[in-house]
Each structure stands twice: as structure tokens, then as C-alpha cells.
Amino acid sequence: MDTLVSLSKRRGFVFPSSEIYGGFSSTWDYGPLGVELKRNIKNLWWRDMVQRRDDIVGLDSAILMSPLIWQASGHITEFTDPLVDCKVCHHRFRADQLDGDRCPDCGGELTDVRRFNLMFKTFVGPVEDDASVAYLRPETAQGIFVNFFNVQQSMRRKLPFGIAQQGKAFRNEITPGNFIFRTREFEQMEMEFFVKPGTDEQWYRQWVDNRYNWYIKYGISPDHLRIREHQKEELAHYARATSDIEYTFPWGWGELEGVANRGDFDLRRHSDASNKDLSYFDDETGERILPYVIEPAVGPDRIALIFLLEAYHEEPDKDETRVVLRFHPELAPIKVAVLPLSRKLGEEAHNVHSLVRSHFMSQYDDTGSIGKRYRRQDEIGTPLCVTVDFDTLADSAVTVRDRDSMEQVRVPLDALVQKLKDMLKLGE
Ligand code: GAP
């Protein structure tokens, strides 16, 4: 993990936040390559959830919403973690994550358990009183539930259908950590799939499978993933059933994504609290029903971490070690690098770069030996390098080198873009 954190900083994936001021606990900034990786993750999720399905539409609701929403959803009373402090070293822990009843750091005595609400509170407007309290959303899901009627009506949707949303969420976590695994400010990608009661169990299983297979498709080994069904006592206050898709992180198995059957908990709560009828008219039976909801929910920050962990490889290369990020081409921040063998070839190489960059996220690098430049691109996971050499001036062709096999092929310039597309196989 330390190696990955250090590579992430050195190569512009993720930087410690507020670093020049000594840092700010458990917050991270995405650098030029990290922002591409995370954007690729979010775009793939959106493409597979919304663009390529007939039964899911998108939404982008506000982060600040009426506090009545959090009252109705149960977050004000239920969204808490059990907190204990050590009376000796004053370290803080989540009581549900401790094995014994003494401090794991110094063996000191612990305080009684207190319930700690995870929502960040703020004030709307200039007056800081009870009437102006608002919360930063701790999940994007509620913005979907309160817009259920708007979306269903405006898009003339019939059950089953889903609403997908991506955006920031905030939780005052007691124990953030493990790099970008658990932070207080993070992003979520959630999809609420509304179904007829009675069909919920089948859809729940279908979404667990669908989401599990999504990770396999983009390069996660099945050996590194497992599905863990929650025991009754572990279920969140809104859930009838939940399965976590877990990944084997360096510190052990941990939650990557949760798929929950939320029943009609949310629509019922919001109907009751707002006095607005959120039921759905089933024109097959002529009855009004309150749909059940299946929810796959995940954080792209956590996905970025697993793709980085999975991609990282060190392999012997002559007397040295080659570090290579074997990203699926869809995820690679840079798809193609253009490398002139000599600076004297700058004009020709810039022309090649212009050709390539309108199709792919690309980089131009003319510093250091060609071997060093290949290594630099391997280390950030660039699938293809295009080398412009002196022969290019005579034969109008370039060499394309594959990151994984390190094989090279000569390609005529007028066929280059198509060849790169064929090799990257994006959009499949
Ligand atoms: N709407 C349901 C919900 O929010 P959750 O299991 O609390 O469920 C869903 O969160 C996903 O959001 C998690 O599986 C994880 O991927 C991500 N997530 C939750 N808390 C996080 C945090 N503090 N930092 C990073 N990602 C987090």
C-alpha cells in the first residue's frame, strides 16, 4: 500500500490534500492522472447503467436539501456510529470495530459507548440558529427518492425502472483511513431501481450479479472479489437485505460496493412525512402501489483504489524492475503516448500527436532515452506508445508498442488511428 501511495503522489494520481500546510487529516486531491482515472470510472458506470439501458435514467440533485428529508429518511436519528475514547491515550475508535474492551493502542480503559451522528451540519444564510440548520448529504440516494415522482412523471416511466446519480457525499467518519478507501468527503454512484413488490428478490439477485460482473469485465480477478450477505443484525435501518461486494484489500476483505433491497422504506417515509402521494398507478392491475427499491451503491474513490491495486505489477526486466500498471484500456488515464526517438524529429512527431490527440487522451514525451520513456508510460499504465523515428521521414510509418506484451508493430501513418482503435478496443 505504501508503494502505491508513493507512486500515486510521484506520478500525479493522488496527492495528500493541503500538503503545504502540513496536510488535512484523511483528505486527498486527485492529480492530473487521478482525475482521468476517476472520470473514466464514472463514465464507464454511467455508460453501462444509463446510456446502454432502456430502463434507467439519470439525475443530478443538490447536495444541500431540506433537513426534513433527513428527518424522514431516519438519518438524523439512525445514521450514527458507536464511539469510544481511550481514557489514557485519548485515541478514538468505533466500538463495533474493536475486539476487546480495552484500548488497542495502549491497553487503557475505554469510555462508555456514545452514538455519534455522521452527518456534517452547517447553516444556510447568515444566521446560525436552529431554523437555519442544513446537512451535507451523507448519501446521494435521498435526492433520488424525493424526485421519484418528478422523474417518473416527466419521463413517463413504467415499473421496473431506475434512477442513477453520481456526486459528492460527506460523512464525519470516526475512523477514516487506508488512503482513499474511507474519507470524510467522497463521491458516490448510486442507482435506485424501482420494482413491483414481489419481484424485488429476483431483481436484488440480478443486480448483485450484474455489479459483480462489472468488476470482472474491467479487469478485477474473481479471486479478489467475493459477495457477502449481511446478517439480520448487521442490516442498515432501511434494508430488508444487503449483499456487499468485497475486495481483498492489503489489510483484508473490505466493502467495495453494497447492493441493498430497501423495500418501500424510503418512498413510504417520504410520502408520510411530506403528505405527498408517491405511489405508482399500475395500469395492468388498476391498483396504486408503493414500489420497492433495489440499490447498488458504490464510491468511485474506492473503485479507483481497487483498480490501482489490481493494476500494480513489478516484474524483472534485465537488471532492473519494471513497474507497470496493467489498467484495462478503458481505465487507463492516458491511452496513447507519442515519443520521438530524437528531438530532431519534433516537427514530424508533433504532427503525429495532433493526429492522435483528437481521438485519445494522449501525452507527448521527448525527454530522456526511449527506454526510460517507455518505463515512464508503463508506470502510469499507458497501453500504447507510438514512436516516431528517422525512418518515419522516409516511409511515413511509426512503431506502436504494446504495454503488456512489449511487442512492436510498424504501422503506416494513414492507418494509425484505426490501428490504435483496433488495439484499444474501447467502447466494447
Ligand atoms: N445509499 C446507501 C449507502 O450510502 P453505504 O454502504 O453507506 O450505502 C455505499 O455506501 C458505498 O459508498 C460504499 O460501498 C463505498 O463504496 C462508498 N463509501 C461509503 N462511505 C465511504 C467513505 N467514507 N469513503 C469512501 N467511500 C465510501
Side-chain angles (χ1 to χ4, degrees):
M1 190 70 166
D2 290 347
T3 317
L4 192 71
V5 175
S6 127
L7 178 136
S8 292
K9 181 174 174 202
R10 188 163 41 82
R11 299 310 316 270
F13 282 91
V14 179
F15 305 129
S17 177
S18 317
E19 199 183 9
I20 61 167
Y21 287 98
F24 191 65
S25 139
S26 298
T27 53
W28 302 90
D29 297 334
Y30 284 79
L33 298 188
V35 71
E36 295 298 332
L37 172 63
K38 190 149 80 148
R39 199 171 276 228
N40 290 341
I41 291 168
K42 293 196 292 186
N43 288 346
L44 282 180
W45 185 91
W46 197 265
R47 188 184 79 185
D48 292 342
M49 281 288 187
V50 180
Q51 184 188 333
R52 292 187 173 174
R53 293 187 67 111
D54 292 330
D55 53 0
I56 302 181
V57 291
L59 182 75
D60 188 2
S61 69
I63 290 175
L64 292 175
M65 303 192 289
S66 165
L68 296 175
I69 290 174
W70 306 112
Q71 191 82 51
S73 67
H75 281 82
I76 288 178
T77 49
E78 310 274 347
F79 197 58
T80 58
D81 273 344
L83 170 71
V84 288
D85 296 276
C86 172
K87 290 183 183 171
V88 181
C89 70
H90 305 295
H91 289 174
R92 279 208 166 133
F93 307 97
R94 266 174 61 175
D96 56 337
Q97 289 176 344
L98 290 179
D99 278 341
D101 53 6
R102 308 219 42 113
C103 173
D105 290 350
C106 76
E109 195 187 335
L110 298 171
T111 59
D112 289 340
V113 176
R114 283 170 290 144
R115 299 304 307 184
F116 173 75
N117 193 294
L118 298 183
M119 282 198 294
F120 277 98
K121 217 183 221 184
T122 187
F123 299 95
V124 172
V127 184
E128 297 193 1
D129 61 10
D130 285 352
S132 60
V133 165
Y135 299 92
L136 301 186
R137 65 180 178 199
E139 62 171 16
T140 58
Q142 296 303 323
I144 298 181
F145 296 127
V146 298
N147 276 295
F148 167 74
F149 189 71
N150 285 339
V151 174
Q152 191 261 325
Q153 292 286 304
S154 60
M155 304 307 288
R156 296 182 298 114
R157 288 283 142 173
K158 291 206 184 306
L159 294 181
F161 76 93
I163 306 177
Q165 164 151 252
Q166 302 180 334
K168 289 267 180 172
F170 302 83
R171 296 181 189 177
N172 202 357
E173 300 278 4
I174 298 170
T175 50
N178 286 329
F179 194 30
I180 49 175
F181 176 79
R182 191 185 309 283
T183 50
R184 295 192 171 103
E185 171 183 346
F186 56 98
E187 285 190 80
Q188 283 193 315
M189 309 195 289
E190 301 197 284
M191 195 278 292
E192 308 300 325
F193 199 75
F194 299 92
V195 304
K196 290 188 187 175
T199 65
D200 50 309
E201 175 61 22
Q202 166 213 330
W203 278 110
Y204 168 63
R205 297 282 156 211
Q206 203 161 314
W207 277 111
V208 172
D209 284 355
N210 176 307
R211 295 301 305 150
Y212 176 89
N213 289 327
W214 193 80
Y215 295 104
I216 309 287
K217 175 173 175 191
Y218 295 114
I220 303 294
S221 156
D223 295 342
H224 297 165
L225 284 179
R226 71 177 189 193
I227 294 168
R228 190 180 66 80
E229 186 124 15
H230 283 209
Q231 303 294 312
K232 274 257 161 346
E233 54 286 358
E234 199 189 341
L235 290 174
H237 64 275
Y238 49 75
R240 295 165 69 88
T242 299
S243 288
D244 283 346
I245 300 174
E246 295 189 334
Y247 182 77
T248 170
F249 290 95
W251 58 91
W253 289 100
E255 175 183 345
L256 166 62
E257 166 155 1
V259 182
N261 180 347
R262 296 178 76 124
D264 62 6
F265 179 89
D266 303 273
L267 290 184
R268 186 172 296 283
R269 286 284 193 104
H270 288 305
S271 280
D272 291 349
S274 65
N275 269 324
K276 297 278 179 329
D277 181 6
L278 298 180
S279 65
Y280 166 90
F281 179 71
D282 184 351
D283 50 15
E284 278 171 18
T285 60
E287 287 173 6
R288 297 205 74 85
I289 51 172
L290 216 45
Y292 275 20
V293 176
I294 310 302
E295 174 200 65
V298 66
D301 307 282
R302 225 169 254 192
I303 302 183
L305 177 58
I306 69 153
F307 281 128
L308 279 165
L309 286 165
E310 194 80 4
Y312 187 88
H313 285 84
E314 284 179 12
E315 48 193 45
D317 180 38
K318 297 183 193 121
D319 297 337
E320 296 177 353
T321 304
R322 175 168 102 115
V323 172
V324 52
L325 291 184
R326 294 192 190 278
F327 285 129
H328 187 290
E330 294 278 12
L331 293 162
I334 305 295
K335 312 291 187 214
V336 181
V338 176
L339 317 173
L341 201 59
S342 149
R343 288 219 172 119
K344 291 186 188 131
L345 295 162
E347 192 184 334
E348 186 66 11
H350 278 298
N351 288 341
V352 173
H353 190 213
S354 308
L355 186 70
V356 165
R357 75 186 323 169
S358 57
H359 298 272
F360 311 101
M361 197 69 202
S362 63
Q363 257 187 11
Y364 183 90
D365 185 5
D366 62 3
T367 54
S369 72
I370 192 73
K372 276 218 175 79
R373 281 181 271 161
Y374 283 148
R375 292 292 168 273
R376 251 183 241 146
Q377 294 301 329
D378 289 344
E379 212 183 18
I380 61 168
T382 306
L384 300 174
C385 289
V386 172
T387 309
V388 177
D389 55 28
F390 287 100
D391 289 344
T392 307
L393 303 176
D395 67 0
S396 290
V398 286
T399 301
V400 178
R401 174 214 186 239
D402 179 275
R403 174 196 69 199
D404 297 335
S405 65
M406 293 196 274
E407 273 170 18
Q408 305 195 359
V409 282
R410 196 81 185 154
V411 181
L413 275 175
D414 55 9
L416 179 63
V417 168
Q418 190 55 47
K419 178 71 180 172
L420 297 173
K421 284 185 180 167
D422 293 345
M423 290 175 84
L424 289 167
K425 300 192 179 74
L426 302 177
E428 290 190 354

